[in-house]
Every structure is written in structure tokens, then in C-alpha cells.
Amino acid sequence: ILHIVGARPNFMKAAPIMREMFRFPREFHQLLVHTGQHYAPQMSQVFFKEHDLPQPDVNLNVGSGTHAWQTAQIMMRFEPVLEDYQPDWVVVYGDVNSTLACSLVSTKLGFPVAHVEAGLRSFDRSMPEEINRIITDQLSEALFTPSEDADRNLQKEGIPASKVHLVGNVMIDTLTYLLPKSQSNWYQLAPNFPRNYILVTLHRPANVDHADTLVEIMSALETISMEIPVLFPVHPRTRERLKEFDLQPKSSRFQLLDPLGYLDFLSLQEHASLVLTDSGGIQEETTYLGVPCLTARPNTERPVTISMGTNQLVESESTSLVQAMQASLSGSRPKKKSPPLWDGHTAGRIVKVFRQV
């Protein structure tokens, strides 16, 4: 089994599956390939330690670049790895460029691909991740879906039902595994932060690469910080844009933080009054935790977080953001309600499938 990780969400999805496979050493020989799509220590190395992941057997050291450059580099560097190891399965995760690139190379060389978190659709092809999702699913021989809407999407796209396995959300496996550590961690973190706060995370190009949009978002956060403190752990990409556009908080109640490890971020997320994000994974985690979430996007590939969870979509415009944040903060906290199979046992269901093929 060749596991492919490249960006921090991949690490969180691979970890529980690798732990489960380690329980069957006679059945599985696992190798971990890190493409290096996320390469900064705070975006990569800390995650191996926190998630009890083994160090990568192979690191392609690709780094950042345009979508075309990065995808091409991963493909070229991954091809000899496949030829060396001759895996029975290549397991890819999520929707990042590493997922697409390694799926393409594997399929062309005749190695079957298994896609964890298959079937999610935003129906917005301006999102690079949507292209990655669609193509990866068409190439995969085993598709592990987190929710029933994902199954329906794959059915509409002509994927044979025999390839599709509804297993639940493996991200929740990681959350439940690390939640006790996170809760212990909170006692050390809490004195450094206000009692009530909004937690923010933004990294998608549509929000951070355009000055006009980022100005609107920062203006809204500046305004709301007059009512409640704002904590914003800043992705390196977003940090560059804030500097480029000369957008720095004026209020001491609006704090820009360095990127956080998963345990610290989970602690802050669990105790937040509200989370504002454009991340898919955080929409899922806040749903499980019962924390109100606003997603600064026109659509989501995770509609179950809206229909069953705590998530709402909001326009990336100052007035809309402020009104949505004020409405959420003044309302009652939603009841914790998880979608079916978001129970911390998804990895077990995935490995059961592999043991039967």
C-alpha cells in the first residue's frame, strides 16, 4: 500500500488508516510518500509528530509553484517511485494537486488507485480542487465516500456502484483520536487567549489573492473585533498577501497568529464562540464539535455540514460578514449533531474493504 500525502489535510486523513493497517502486519506493507506540496515545518513536519505518523519513506520535495508546474513536478518525480515499489494499491486523499498528479501517473502505469474522501462536489469548476476531485474519482478503482450525497454524485457521473464504499468521514477519526490530548492542551493555552473569541482561517485564492476581497474580509474582522476578540492563525500564503496589500489589523483585539499545529488549533476551535473559514475540513470539524461556523464561499462540497451541521455560507463582503457574525453570536449555540458514520471508526471500515479485495 503506497499512501500519498502532500498537504496538511492529507496527513490527518492518512494517519488513522495507517494506524489501522498497522494492526495487520501480515496483510499490509505500507509505504508513505510525501510529495512536499506543503514543505514549511509549521505546515508539514509538526503534523507527522502530532498524528503519530511515521517519517515518509519517500519525500519528493516538490514545494510550491503554479498548479501546472507543481502537478507536473509531482508526476515526474512520482513515476520512478511507482516503478521501484510496484504497489498493489496507491491510496490518495482529498483534493489537492498531489492527489490528482499521483492518480494520473498510477493509472497510466496500471496501478489501481483508491480515493479517500471521494464524491464531494461544489459544482464550481473555477475551484482547482473541484477539477482534482472529478478527475481523481474517474480514475479510481476504489472510492471511499464520507456521506450519502457523495454517493449520489458518483452515481450521476457514471461511477459503477461496485467501486463505491460509503464509510464515513476519516477526518472525524483523527479528531476523536486527538480530542483528549487537545482538551488537556487547552489548560496550557487558555491563559494566553481571551475567554470568548472568533477563530478565523482563510487561504483560498478567491478570498486572499484579490486585494478588493481581502480588504472586505479584513474590514469586517476589524469591525467585529470591537465586539469580540478575533484570533487569526495565518496561512503562509495569506500572510504574503496581507503584506503585499498592506493589510494589518489596527485593533489590539484582532490578533494575527503564526500557523498552529493541529492540537493547538483543535483546542482553539472547540472553545471558539464562532469560526469563520474557507476550509472544507473545518466545516466538518465544527459540525462534529457543535461550534457555529461561517464559510466565506459561495458554495461548499460538503452540503451535509449545512443540512445537518452548524455551517452557513456567507458572502466575502464586509457588510454580509459582519451581519452574519453578529447574528450567529446573538443566537443560541446549535445542538451537536453528527451525520451518519461520522463516528471515529471510518478507518476500520476502509481497511475492512482492503482486506476483502
Side-chain angles (χ1 to χ4, degrees), residues 327-346:
S328 178
L329 291 168
S330 63
S332 59
R333 197 175 179 95
K335 292 183 179 179
K336 181 178 175 180
K337 184 181 178 183
S338 296
L341 300 181
W342 290 29
D343 56 5
H345 300 293
T346 293

Side-chain angles (χ1 to χ4, degrees), residues 223-224 227 274 294 319 321-331:
T223 299
I224 202 70
E227 301 178 27
L274 172 66
L294 296 175
T319 301
L321 285 165
V322 171
Q323 289 177 349
M325 288 188 284
Q326 288 174 333
S328 178
L329 291 168
S330 63

